[in-house]
Amino acid sequence: MKYKAGFCQFKPEFMAKEKNLETMVNLVSKTKADLIVFPELATSGYTFINLSEVEQVAETFQKGLTYIVMKKAAWDNNCSIVLGFVEEDAGNFYNSAMLINPDGSSYLYRKTHLFLHEKSFFSPGDTGFQVFPAKNNIKIGIMICFDWIFPEAARSLMLNGAQIIAHPANLVLPWCQQAMLTRSIENRVFTITANRTGVEKNNSLSNAFTGQSQITSPLGERLLQADDSSQITGIFDIFPEIADNKSVTAMNDLITDRRQKYYHS
Ligand code: ACM
C-alpha cells in the first residue's frame, strides 16, 4: 500500500505553546500525507534551565491543549501525527511523544534515554518500546532523539513489529542522521527523523540544532533529506510492507538468524 509519510522540520519558539501549535496546524493543513512526524518537544522548545519552565508547558496526555488541537488536525486532514511534548503525570515530567490518528485513537511514548540536562528535569521513560497502529493500520514504533545511540531501541521496535520508526528529535550531536541509515539496514525498517532547526539560548545555555531531517528505507537508502536550517516538510511515497520482509539473502533472515544466547542483555 502506498503510504505518504514524512516530517515537518521547523524551529519551535521557546515556551510559546499556542504559537507553535498554530504553526504545526498550519503545516499539517498544507500537506497531503498519511503520517507526519514533528520534532521532539515541538510545542515547547528544548532549552529549559529550571523546573518552573517545564511545569509551565507540561500537559497531561489526552487532556491538554496539544492533544485537543492536534486531534482535530489529524481528523481534519485525515492524517496520523506524531509529535513531541512535555508530559506531566502524577507529579513527574516526561519528554514524551504522542501518536494521534484521524479516527481519534492516540498513543504515548516516554523518552527512555535522557540526554545531558534533560536529566535535571525529566524522569526516564517507563513506557518501553511499544508499536502502535497508525492510519491504515500501519505499524509505528516511536523513539525520541538520543534513543538513536542505543541500537536496542530500534531493535526492540523492530522485534515488536514496527514497519516505520517515527523519530522526533532535537539533535545537537553530528552522528545521528548517518547512524539512522544503519538502524534502517540492521532492522529492515523505514525511519523518519524529524529534527528541529535554529539556535536556542536560555541564560547560560545554548543549543544549536542540526536540521537535516530525513526518511530512510529498509535497504539503507536516504529517500529524502532536508537541509540544516529551513522550515520544510518532506513527504515520500513509501510501501511500509517492504519492512515486513527481514530476508537479507536467500539464507539469511534478520530475526531467525539471531543468536540470542551469545548476546549480552
Ligand atoms: C537529544 O536527545 N535531544 C539530543
Side-chain angles (χ1 to χ4, degrees):
M1 175 200 305
K2 192 162 32 163
Y3 205 65
K4 289 187 175 303
F7 55 80
C8 283
Q9 169 172 300
F10 78 116
K11 180 175 184 263
E13 203 166 294
F14 189 59
M15 301 299 289
K17 196 196 293 183
E18 278 87 355
K19 178 151 191 264
N20 293 328
L21 282 171
E22 198 180 309
T23 302
M24 291 162 73
V25 168
N26 198 19
L27 287 169
V28 174
S29 73
K30 286 197 192 126
T31 308
K32 189 162 171 25
D34 299 303
L35 170 70
I36 298 178
V37 184
F38 282 96
E40 176 184 15
L41 298 177
T43 59
S44 62
Y46 181 82
T47 312
F48 300 110
I49 54 165
N50 58 52
L51 196 58
S52 148
E53 290 173 345
V54 174
E55 275 169 351
Q56 280 174 59
V57 289
E59 299 180 53
T60 307
F61 177 53
Q62 293 176 329
K63 289 212 172 75
L65 181 67
T66 298
Y67 171 78
I68 293 164
V69 169
M70 296 314 284
K71 185 175 169 182
K72 180 169 181 326
W75 164 264
D76 286 347
N77 297 282
N78 192 23
C79 175
S80 288
I81 299 170
V82 175
L83 70 120
F85 72 109
V86 179
E87 187 207 351
E88 191 272 331
D89 183 41
N92 295 316
F93 298 95
Y94 299 94
N95 181 339
S96 294
M98 62 177 96
L99 161 67
I100 309 192
N101 292 324
D103 67 3
S105 57
S106 58
Y107 303 90
L108 179 72
Y109 169 69
R110 293 174 172 158
K111 185 175 185 177
T112 307
H113 305 99
L114 297 175
F115 181 71
L116 200 62
H117 302 296
E118 292 170 34
K119 293 189 176 189
S120 308
F121 309 115
F122 296 116
S123 299
D126 56 0
T127 49
F129 294 101
Q130 302 171 57
V131 169
F132 308 118
K135 180 180 170 185
N136 295 341
N137 256 337
I138 297 306
K139 295 181 213 130
I140 304 291
I142 304 176
M143 57 189 224
I144 298 179
C145 207
F146 194 52
D147 283 331
W148 71 266
I149 210 165
F150 300 89
E152 295 89 346
R155 173 50 52 97
S156 301
L157 291 171
M158 174 273 234
L159 290 173
N160 284 334
Q163 295 168 308
I164 303 172
I165 293 179
H167 181 214
N170 278 189
L171 294 162
V172 293
L173 300 177
W175 307 296
C176 172
Q177 289 87 343
Q178 193 61 28
M180 288 307 286
L181 285 168
T182 303
R183 298 291 167 273
S184 261
I185 297 166
E186 68 198 2
N187 294 298
R188 290 228 161 192
V189 290
F190 291 92
T191 76
I192 302 172
T193 296
N195 194 17
R196 62 160 289 173
T197 60
V199 175
E200 192 176 69
K201 291 192 170 75
N202 190 359
N203 273 298
S204 58
L205 281 188
S206 176
N207 283 302
F209 301 99
T210 59
Q212 298 169 63
S213 298
Q214 64 180 17
I215 308 172
T216 67
S217 83
L219 298 181
E221 303 146 306
R222 187 175 270 133
L223 300 174
L224 210 59
Q225 187 170 40
D227 67 14
D228 56 8
S229 57
S230 303
Q231 173 172 302
I232 189 163
T233 299
I235 303 293
F236 203 88
D237 286 342
I238 63 172
F239 293 85
E241 59 275 12
I242 292 174
D244 296 336
N245 180 357
K246 301 302 185 193
S247 158
V248 182
T249 73
M251 296 175 70
N252 293 101
D253 181 281
L254 281 183
I255 294 179
T256 54
D257 277 5
R258 296 177 75 235
R259 307 287 309 280
Q260 276 170 277
K261 70 175 174 178
Y262 295 114
Y263 303 156
H264 206 299
S265 69

